[in-house]
Amino acid sequence: MFGTILKLLTLCALAHSINAHTLKQDPQRQQVPITPEQKYLIVRGESSATSEEHLQFDDAATLLLSAFKTQQLKAALDLEECSEPTHKATFSGIDYVILLSMLVVSLGIGIFYGFFQTGGSSSDDFLLGSGMSLLPVTLSLTTSFITAIELLGNPSEMYFQGTQFVLIVIPMLLVIPVAVKVFYPIYFKMELTSCYEYLGIRFGKEIRILGAVLYVIQMCFYTAVAVLAPAIALSKATGLDTKIAVILIYVVCVFYSSMGGIKACVIADSFQAAVLAVSLVLIVLLGCFYSGSPVQVFQTAAERSRLEFFNFDPSPTTRHTVWSVVIGGFFYWTSLFCTNQASVQKCMSLKSLKLAKIALGFAIIGLVFVFLLNFYTGLMVFTHYADCDPLSVGRITASDQLLPYYVINTYDHVYTIAGIFVAGIFAASLGTVASALNSLSAVTCEDLLINGMNIKISPEKGATYAKWMSLGYGVGSFGLVFIVEHLGGVLQATLTLNGLIGGVTLGLFVLGIACKQANTKGAFYGGLLSLALVIFVGVVAQIANVETPALPTSVEHCDCHVNVTGIIDDLLSESLLPPAEHGFTSWPIFRMSYMWFSMVGCLLTVFLGWLISVIIDAVQRRSVLRLTAKGIDNPAVSEDVFKCDVPVIFTTMKPIEPTSGEGHINLAIRLDDEYSAK
């Protein structure tokens, strides 16, 4: 009934629009015949497709649409079709020069550190950099956390969903004390190359390999998506070929990350951070002139219901609330800053823990600034298109094309701006991929080859192995791009999978740090079980694909012909009744906001790992008690087992307190040495 009322209101509005134009007598145009039966229609509710009321409804819709299309043809003669503009902004020669210059400089950095820089022949030099400077590492950390997906997705989020997601900067700041007080002191005290070495020291070889394998799977797919998604958006909005964009990014990244190691990645990231900052600042400054001042931007956003910061809805199925963004975002950023090898490896390249803390703090502050600038850009774009939404009129086909379309078309006559903008997007992709490739080579060499497969690699050959690993992962990730491209909806699924795996990995670290009772089997089986559960929930959630409707947009004052009849056709053809929910996919857990996935993965891993550890410990204690029980209660154990002919060795000497740098003293070894000396 509700759907019928809405359809009827649509017909009434359409009839009102036609009343003053189409149904007038016009000798130049043939009138659409109206039969007496079609003058008055009464629709009393939803009925079957063969009922008389339903047929009359369809006849009325067909009549009104035909009349409306006839009237629109005359108006459309003087205006171009919105979905087919006569002028399309494209990349110019100077724009290509700017883009290629940025890529050539990045290549030059790889050539310098690969062929002309002394040192770097050992695996530690290649993977850790042997004492990098503070400023380059800070800029590199900031660039690594800014992906091209976020640069294009954040403005789109502000445009279509509002500003609730802006609160994501709060958990970024909350992560700083956790990182500098809990995680990084452990890493520096152990002098780790891979952060997953901690899992091996705490739990054993199996957990170290599990963490490394999860990271490899996570980053291989994530790098492919992080390159493909912005390449597709840039292709649709600027005309830049998708394959050319992907090839350029991977060729440059693979070259300087495999030849120059972590030093080349850090220095190249610093240069790319400057390019990215220039592009973002230029867009905002030009937007103040072309789209409106900050006062106008926020005023328009408030009038059109885009400003929202205090949605305290407790439902976990609501996409963005204060709870999901702040709490769920805290777990997401903790996994990214504290247990992701790409970030840990750069902090470990510094000379001391103090410098690492400073670099991490300033990197997060810089990241907050970039995100806020990016969010404001989204509101600025909304102000520009407040009365003519490019997605509704067919100028773009997806929401992530919004920012490229705005820059290329609004600043079309501004010299070099398109090239600088695309160079900034490329810089974000380069930083993400290069850091991932270098960290993947470190994890593979240290955790999988040396520790997992017991392959002995000398420090001299370690750099060579790492270079080939970086090259291999680059080629493999490049191949995944073209597989992912043909899988459609796997893009969003892969990004969700990234959050799920990151949450489970964070859970393993928290389990080792916070739970003394946790043991190897508990961590291993708890981690695997948690991973299986959260991936199942995430995959089913992607299949259910509950999309949050966008906030209303307008096409009221477009300077082109809007194909309103197509919009009305779609409205009348689709059912407005809520879809029927069947099966387990309708359960609330499968409609949970994606912001909670990292938290669920982490807490589930900690709980199951602790529970299984406690159960295993209780079973083992019971078995030991059975074996050591004496008397008739345990006739299976002979008394000879408890006889001992070896004299008991003891000493009255107090244990020597270890000095700084000596590490842990094995008292058992000291006693044996004293006994043998006597």
Side-chain angles (χ1 to χ4, degrees), residues 24-358:
K24 292 182 179 180
Q25 295 293 330
D26 189 347
Q28 302 295 329
R29 184 172 62 240
Q30 183 179 358
Q31 283 292 100
V32 179
I34 304 176
T35 62
E37 291 79 9
Q38 293 174 329
K39 288 184 178 180
Y40 303 100
L41 295 172
I42 299 177
V43 181
R44 289 189 293 267
E46 288 285 359
S47 56
S48 64
T50 58
S51 68
E52 183 178 357
E53 289 181 347
H54 194 95
L55 293 175
Q56 289 178 343
F57 185 93
D58 289 342
D59 289 342
T62 303
L63 169 70
L64 292 172
L65 284 173
S66 300
F68 186 70
K69 289 177 181 178
T70 305
Q71 184 269 335
Q72 288 289 307
L73 288 176
K74 183 177 180 180
L77 294 177
D78 300 328
L79 294 173
E80 66 176 5
E81 189 72 27
C82 287
S83 58
E84 298 178 1
T86 55
H87 172 72
K88 293 183 179 180
T90 57
F91 240 40
S92 64
I94 189 63
D95 295 325
Y96 279 106
V97 170
I98 293 174
L99 176 60
L100 292 176
S101 298
M102 189 271 294
L103 297 176
V104 168
V105 172
S106 300
L107 281 174
I109 293 172
I111 293 174
F112 175 76
Y113 281 96
F115 297 99
F116 299 101
Q117 180 74 5
T118 58
S121 58
S122 68
S123 58
D124 286 342
D125 289 335
F126 186 84
L127 297 175
L128 291 181
S130 301
M132 297 290 294
S133 301
L134 179 62
L135 181 60
V137 173
T138 301
L139 294 175
S140 179
L141 282 169
T142 304
T143 307
S144 300
F145 297 139
I146 303 172
T147 66
I149 297 175
E150 290 164 336
L151 287 177
L152 300 180
N154 287 340
S156 174
E157 175 70 23
M158 300 298 104
Y159 187 100
F160 292 104
Q161 301 293 343
T163 59
Q164 186 63 65
F165 189 65
V166 171
L167 297 185
I168 194 66
V169 299
I170 295 177
M172 292 182 192
L173 298 174
L174 295 178
V175 169
I176 295 178
V178 176
V180 301
K181 294 294 184 181
V182 178
F183 287 92
Y184 282 91
I186 295 175
Y187 298 152
F188 270 87
K189 193 172 184 179
M190 294 182 173
E191 298 182 351
L192 306 179
T193 301
S194 165
C195 62
Y196 305 110
E197 289 183 54
Y198 168 77
L199 296 179
I201 296 172
R202 173 63 177 84
F203 292 116
K205 177 179 178 180
E206 297 85 354
I207 310 303
R208 180 177 179 179
I209 295 175
L210 175 62
V213 170
L214 290 178
Y215 180 76
V216 170
I217 296 173
Q218 172 187 357
M219 294 308 294
C220 282
F221 279 94
Y222 183 69
T223 51
V225 175
V227 173
L228 177 62
I232 293 175
L234 291 173
S235 173
K236 298 295 184 181
T238 66
L240 184 65
D241 186 79
T242 302
K243 292 183 175 59
I244 293 178
V246 171
I247 291 173
L248 286 175
I249 291 173
Y250 270 103
V251 167
V252 174
C253 283
V254 169
F255 183 84
Y256 76 73
S257 64
S258 62
M259 298 305 300
I262 187 65
K263 288 184 178 180
C265 289
V266 169
I267 301 301
D269 284 350
S270 302
F271 165 70
Q272 291 152 11
V275 175
L276 176 60
V278 169
S279 66
L280 291 177
V281 171
L282 274 179
I283 291 172
V284 172
L285 292 179
L286 289 172
C288 293
F289 179 76
Y290 286 95
S291 301
S293 65
V295 174
Q296 293 173 320
V297 167
F298 284 105
Q299 183 178 358
T300 303
E303 293 173 352
R304 304 295 179 95
S305 303
R306 286 311 189 270
L307 296 184
E308 181 186 24
F309 299 103
F310 305 106
N311 183 355
F312 290 98
D313 185 358
S315 173
T317 60
T318 304
R319 185 169 178 266
H320 287 158
T321 64
V322 173
W323 314 115
S324 65
V325 174
V326 175
I327 299 176
F330 174 78
F331 283 86
Y332 173 78
W333 286 113
T334 303
S335 69
L336 199 60
F337 284 112
C338 302
T339 61
N340 186 288
Q341 175 64 15
S343 56
V344 173
Q345 185 175 347
K346 291 181 179 180
C347 288
M348 295 298 295
S349 68
L350 292 167
K351 299 177 182 179
S352 65
L353 174 62
K354 181 179 179 181
L355 291 177
K357 291 179 178 179
I358 296 173

Side-chain angles (χ1 to χ4, degrees), residues 248-507:
L248 286 175
I249 291 173
Y250 270 103
V251 167
V252 174
C253 283
V254 169
F255 183 84
Y256 76 73
S257 64
S258 62
M259 298 305 300
I262 187 65
K263 288 184 178 180
C265 289
V266 169
I267 301 301
D269 284 350
S270 302
F271 165 70
Q272 291 152 11
V275 175
L276 176 60
V278 169
S279 66
L280 291 177
V281 171
L282 274 179
I283 291 172
V284 172
L285 292 179
L286 289 172
C288 293
F289 179 76
Y290 286 95
S291 301
S293 65
V295 174
Q296 293 173 320
V297 167
F298 284 105
Q299 183 178 358
T300 303
E303 293 173 352
R304 304 295 179 95
S305 303
R306 286 311 189 270
L307 296 184
E308 181 186 24
F309 299 103
F310 305 106
N311 183 355
F312 290 98
D313 185 358
S315 173
T317 60
T318 304
R319 185 169 178 266
H320 287 158
T321 64
V322 173
W323 314 115
S324 65
V325 174
V326 175
I327 299 176
F330 174 78
F331 283 86
Y332 173 78
W333 286 113
T334 303
S335 69
L336 199 60
F337 284 112
C338 302
T339 61
N340 186 288
Q341 175 64 15
S343 56
V344 173
Q345 185 175 347
K346 291 181 179 180
C347 288
M348 295 298 295
S349 68
L350 292 167
K351 299 177 182 179
S352 65
L353 174 62
K354 181 179 179 181
L355 291 177
K357 291 179 178 179
I358 296 173
L360 194 63
F362 279 107
I364 294 177
I365 294 174
L367 188 66
V368 170
F369 173 76
V370 172
F371 265 63
L372 291 177
L373 203 63
N374 204 216
F375 290 142
Y376 175 79
T377 303
L379 295 179
M380 186 179 68
V381 174
F382 175 76
T383 302
H384 190 82
Y385 294 120
D387 294 319
C388 188
D389 176 36
L391 183 61
S392 299
V393 300
R395 288 286 174 90
I396 58 176
T397 57
S399 60
D400 56 0
Q401 300 169 16
L402 182 66
L403 184 59
Y405 174 79
Y406 168 79
V407 173
I408 301 300
N409 287 270
T410 305
Y411 310 143
D412 184 23
H413 57 286
V414 180
Y415 201 56
T416 71
I417 187 63
I420 295 175
F421 168 73
V422 175
I425 299 298
F426 268 60
S429 295
L430 288 172
T432 302
V433 175
S435 299
L437 294 180
N438 196 265
S439 61
L440 284 171
S441 63
V443 168
T444 303
C445 289
E446 297 292 329
D447 298 318
L448 299 182
L449 295 183
I450 297 177
N451 181 71
M453 302 175 66
N454 296 322
I455 298 177
K456 295 182 179 180
I457 302 176
S458 63
E460 293 75 17
K461 293 183 179 180
T464 303
Y465 274 80
K467 289 180 180 180
W468 283 107
M469 287 295 168
S470 182
L471 177 62
Y473 277 117
V475 174
S477 179
F478 176 73
L480 282 175
V481 169
F482 298 97
I483 297 176
V484 171
E485 184 180 13
H486 296 287
L487 296 180
V490 79
L491 293 177
Q492 185 177 352
T494 303
L495 297 178
T496 302
L497 181 66
N498 180 60
L500 294 173
I501 294 179
V504 173
T505 304
L506 175 62

